[in-house]
Amino acid sequence: MTPPPISARAWLLMLLLSILWGSSFFFIAVAVREWPPLSIVLARVSIAAVQLWLIILAVGPRPRLDRSALVASFGMGLLNNVLPFVLIVLAQQSLPSGTASIFNATTPLFGVLVAGAAGVERITPPRLIGVLAGLGGVVAMAGADPLATPWPAALCMLGATFLYALAGLWGRRFKALGMTPVQAAAGQTSASTLMLLPLVLLLEVPPLPSLEVAGALLGLATLCTTGGYFMYFLLLNMVGPVNMLLVTLIIPVTSFVLGALFLNESLAPRHLLGMAGVALGLALIDGRLMRRLPRWRNERP
């Protein structure tokens, strides 16, 4: 199956979503200074779940609580919230927010492999070359010296991106069930809350958050999760599971700007080289670059 084209409206939504999701790395970097990982993730999904249920109760549509909807919600909650969110928070205990966002930009690379293996979207030679170029970018941004990069944190980020790729395929179930973006977002955040609550009660006792951390948790839930997942499911229906993940290419720009402005983080030359490799990989995956080359050759004088 060939992935659907990306319209101008979809690109605009992807730009807006990249800003929302890019700010999540900044909010996490603030919250992780005082709060433990599971508690941050629980606060993020539970606040978002409450907000989404209020929207459903106020304007509709009616909630879906049948068996198929519950299976889809719990599966999505595990793949798209619980496991990757915890891995990202663990990674950001030793990774700057901008670096974490660069690793997050590898999500479409895993998306191509997962979609191809599942037979959902065909792996073409340009897409395969794009995967290799993107992975080369990851190696470059990690640095030549293994000791210079906290590899446990890097592996946590790569594990999260792989889970996001799996979630993109799983999320297609919501469209098949006829569920709207707000129903799907409410279902997965509610399921995530139910899965995380007993773990937090058993393993963590978070302190009373400071005003700074409380603001970061509220921003993480409201902007990045409630607003972000509404756009996520909308884009998933519009452009497919792989193209939708291209949004992560733009995320490092947002997170690095916020990190530089508020967290005194810096951008090393190897990060720029890595971002270039990932950008080339994603351009090849998108296919526009390869389609324009023959046209450019024909138009040359």
Side-chain angles (χ1 to χ4, degrees):
M1 176 180 176
T2 303
I6 305 177
S7 65
R9 178 170 176 252
W11 275 117
L12 178 60
L13 287 174
M14 289 169 68
L15 176 61
L16 294 175
L17 182 56
S18 73
I19 294 172
L20 294 179
W21 278 357
S23 64
S24 70
F25 295 96
F26 165 71
F27 290 132
I28 291 172
V30 173
V32 78
R33 295 172 177 174
E34 298 180 17
W35 264 38
L38 291 176
S39 298
I40 293 174
V41 178
L42 176 60
R44 176 177 185 174
V45 296
S46 61
I47 295 171
V50 170
Q51 293 172 342
L52 289 163
W53 277 105
L54 289 174
I55 293 172
I56 287 178
L57 293 175
V59 299
R62 296 179 61 183
R64 288 282 300 272
L65 299 175
D66 55 275
R67 183 178 180 275
S68 297
L70 290 175
V71 169
S73 295
F74 274 89
M76 195 68 173
L78 186 66
L79 294 174
N80 209 38
N81 288 168
V82 176
L83 296 178
F85 284 0
V86 170
L87 287 173
I88 288 173
V89 173
L90 288 172
Q92 284 200 246
Q93 291 181 328
S94 55
L95 276 183
S97 61
T99 306
S101 71
I102 291 181
F103 277 102
N104 190 66
T106 63
T107 301
L109 308 177
F110 288 109
V112 168
L113 296 177
V114 170
V120 175
E121 293 184 4
R122 187 164 54 94
I123 299 181
T124 61
R127 285 196 156 207
L128 184 58
I129 296 172
V131 170
L132 297 177
L135 292 178
V138 174
V139 174
M141 70 184 173
D145 182 5
L147 298 178
T149 299
W151 280 104
L155 291 175
C156 282
M157 285 301 309
L158 292 176
T161 59
F162 177 72
L163 289 165
Y164 282 146
L166 293 178
L169 294 184
W170 185 272
R172 297 164 72 240
R173 294 168 178 254
F174 293 105
K175 182 178 181 180
L177 292 171
M179 296 176 66
T180 65
V182 69
Q183 285 176 319
Q188 76 158 351
T189 52
S190 299
S192 302
T193 300
L194 294 175
M195 287 185 278
L196 282 166
L197 183 58
L199 292 176
V200 172
L201 293 176
L202 286 173
L203 301 176
E204 296 179 352
V205 181
L208 188 67
S210 64
L211 187 61
E212 184 181 47
V213 170
L217 294 173
L218 186 60
L220 188 63
T222 304
L223 299 176
C224 311
T225 312
T226 299
Y229 276 129
F230 177 81
M231 291 189 193
Y232 171 92
F233 286 107
L234 191 61
L235 281 167
L236 189 62
N237 294 339
M238 292 173 64
V239 301
V242 174
N243 282 339
M244 186 275 303
L245 296 175
L246 293 175
V247 68
T248 56
L249 173 63
I250 318 169
I251 287 177
V253 177
T254 304
S255 63
F256 266 115
V257 169
L258 291 172
L261 289 176
F262 300 105
L263 301 175
N264 296 319
E265 295 179 357
S266 59
L267 182 62
R270 61 186 172 90
H271 295 147
L272 294 175
L273 180 62
M275 289 179 66
V278 173
L280 174 62
L282 296 180
L284 291 170
I285 291 169
D286 183 48
R288 296 171 191 268
L289 181 63
M290 296 301 293
R291 288 195 296 269
R292 288 178 179 176
L293 283 178
R295 186 188 309 170
W296 176 76
R297 288 173 181 172
N298 294 333
E299 291 176 355
R300 282 192 308 172

